[in-house]
């Protein structure tokens, strides 16, 4: 078995164990494999091990990979998620190529994605990114801004509001991870109450997936634990 196959099995077991510890079904947590900076050969190995949902952070790199796999039999049924910061001049490529965008934070970009989504493609699934704890980061909106942005997004026919996403500030302590993720879960439940199509809470990465799952995450975004450390010097 290859390293990536073994890693995927380990990550799936960790997800299942974290879910079982809090009496959740493992199937409630979708595994998104974050393949940014990794070659198509690594993605092909993950596909061979049964993985079909992939997350990419850089628009052009993601589009190149999407187009590569679109021509191959093993590319059938893959689902591509854009999870990086989105500039308005790249919104068209995201609208034309991805199935999901996790990092929506501005009404103007929502409008552009809506207008640029090609006719004949299903609505783009979107998550609103919340800046839940990282004051250093400029990504995401504060919770107070959520009702207005959610309402604007929900009114756009070519977007489908599916939920929320967060990247909390790195925090080694499990209880503190849990407290931050808990705030996200509360906001998610309120949003779900108001919009029936909301079903996705994207939170949890390699170093905090167990706390995210305990707090109610429905989608973890895992890179390092599957593909190994990233080498940015090649990028
Ligand atoms: C890189 C990245 C991940 C994966 O992080 P790991 O710690 O490698 O699991 C998840 N989410 C986002 C938004 C990322 O940019």
């Amino acid at each position: 078995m290859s390293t990536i196959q073994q890693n995927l099995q380990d990550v799936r077991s960790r997800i299942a164990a974290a879910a079982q510890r809090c009496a959740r079904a493992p199937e409630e947590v979708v595994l998104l494999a974050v393949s940014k900076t990794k070659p198509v050969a690594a993605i092909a190995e993950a596909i061979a091990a049964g993985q079909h949902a992939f997350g990419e952070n850089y628009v052009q790199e993601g589009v190149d990979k999407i187009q590569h796999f679109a021509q191959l039999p093993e590319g059938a049924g893959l689902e591509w998620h854009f999870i990086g910061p989105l500039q308005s001049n790249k919104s068209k490529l995201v609208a034309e190529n991805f199935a999901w965008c996790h990092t929506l934070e501005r009404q103007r970009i929502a409008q552009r994605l809506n207008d640029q989504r090609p006719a004949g493609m299903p609505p783009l699934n979107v998550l609103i990114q919340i800046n839940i704890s990282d004051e250093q980061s400029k990504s995401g909106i504060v919770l107070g801004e959520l009702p207005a942005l959610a309402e604007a997004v929900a009114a756009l026919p070519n977007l489908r509001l599916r939920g929320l996403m967060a990247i909390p500030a790195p925090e080694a302590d499990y209880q503190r991870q849990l407290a931050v993720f808990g705030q996200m879960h509360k906001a998610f439940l309120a949003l779900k109450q108001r919009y029936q199509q909301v079903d996705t809470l994207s939170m949890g990465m390699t170093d905090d997936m167990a706390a995210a799952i305990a707090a109610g995450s429905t989608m973890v975004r895992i890179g390092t634990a599957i593909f190994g450390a990233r080498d940015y010097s090649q990028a």
Side-chain angles (χ1 to χ4, degrees):
M1 196 184 295
S2 80
T3 310
I4 288 173
Q5 280 175 296
Q6 182 62 58
N7 288 348
L8 260 171
Q9 256 187 27
D10 292 347
V11 168
R12 289 186 189 125
S13 313
R14 284 167 68 184
I15 292 171
Q20 270 150 14
R21 273 198 299 276
C22 53
R24 298 183 63 198
E27 310 80 61
E28 289 174 32
V29 185
V30 173
L31 171 57
L32 185 65
V34 176
S35 44
K36 63 178 178 225
T37 79
K38 298 296 177 181
V40 290
I43 297 173
E45 276 188 48
I47 295 169
Q51 181 63 29
H52 77 281
F54 292 91
E56 287 284 337
N57 289 59
Y58 310 103
V59 177
Q60 192 57 55
E61 178 188 341
V63 169
D64 290 346
K65 290 171 179 174
I66 292 169
Q67 287 173 354
H68 170 86
F69 283 104
Q71 295 162 2
L72 301 176
E74 66 262 37
L78 296 186
E79 188 178 86
W80 294 93
H81 294 234
F82 184 72
I83 63 171
L86 180 54
Q87 261 99 51
S88 60
N89 63 345
K90 298 283 173 64
S91 64
K92 187 159 187 278
L93 281 171
V94 170
E96 289 176 348
N97 289 280
F98 285 85
W100 287 70
C101 175
H102 289 222
T103 49
L104 196 65
E105 56 176 10
R106 277 150 59 194
Q107 191 177 335
R108 202 170 69 82
I109 298 213
Q111 186 69 54
R112 285 176 68 92
L113 289 170
N114 179 75
D115 298 347
Q116 292 164 338
R117 186 69 168 171
M121 278 180 96
L124 179 68
N125 296 296
V126 298
L127 303 177
I128 293 176
Q129 183 174 357
I130 305 295
N131 188 344
I132 197 71
S133 65
D134 194 347
E135 276 143 31
Q136 306 299 318
S137 156
K138 289 183 179 56
S139 294
I141 59 168
V142 296
L143 280 175
E145 296 171 332
L146 176 58
L149 183 57
E151 195 176 324
V153 172
L156 295 169
N158 299 327
L159 302 186
R160 191 162 174 82
L161 177 63
R162 298 290 294 270
L164 302 176
M165 178 271 210
I167 312 171
E171 164 61 66
D173 182 73
Y174 179 85
Q175 291 304 329
R176 286 203 289 255
Q177 291 175 355
L178 205 55
V180 170
F181 286 136
Q183 294 174 43
M184 283 297 299
H185 187 240
K186 202 172 148 209
F188 169 67
L189 290 181
L191 191 71
K192 198 173 151 82
Q193 192 85 305
R194 183 160 163 80
Y195 301 99
Q196 59 169 12
Q197 75 275 22
V198 164
D199 59 2
T200 303
L201 179 55
S202 165
M203 59 185 195
M205 314 193 341
T206 292
D207 290 331
D208 56 14
M209 69 172 113
I213 291 167
S217 169
T218 73
M219 189 179 284
V220 290
R221 309 177 308 266
I222 309 298
T224 308
I226 297 172
F227 295 110
R230 288 177 289 273
D231 180 359
Y232 286 100
S233 67
Q234 308 288 310

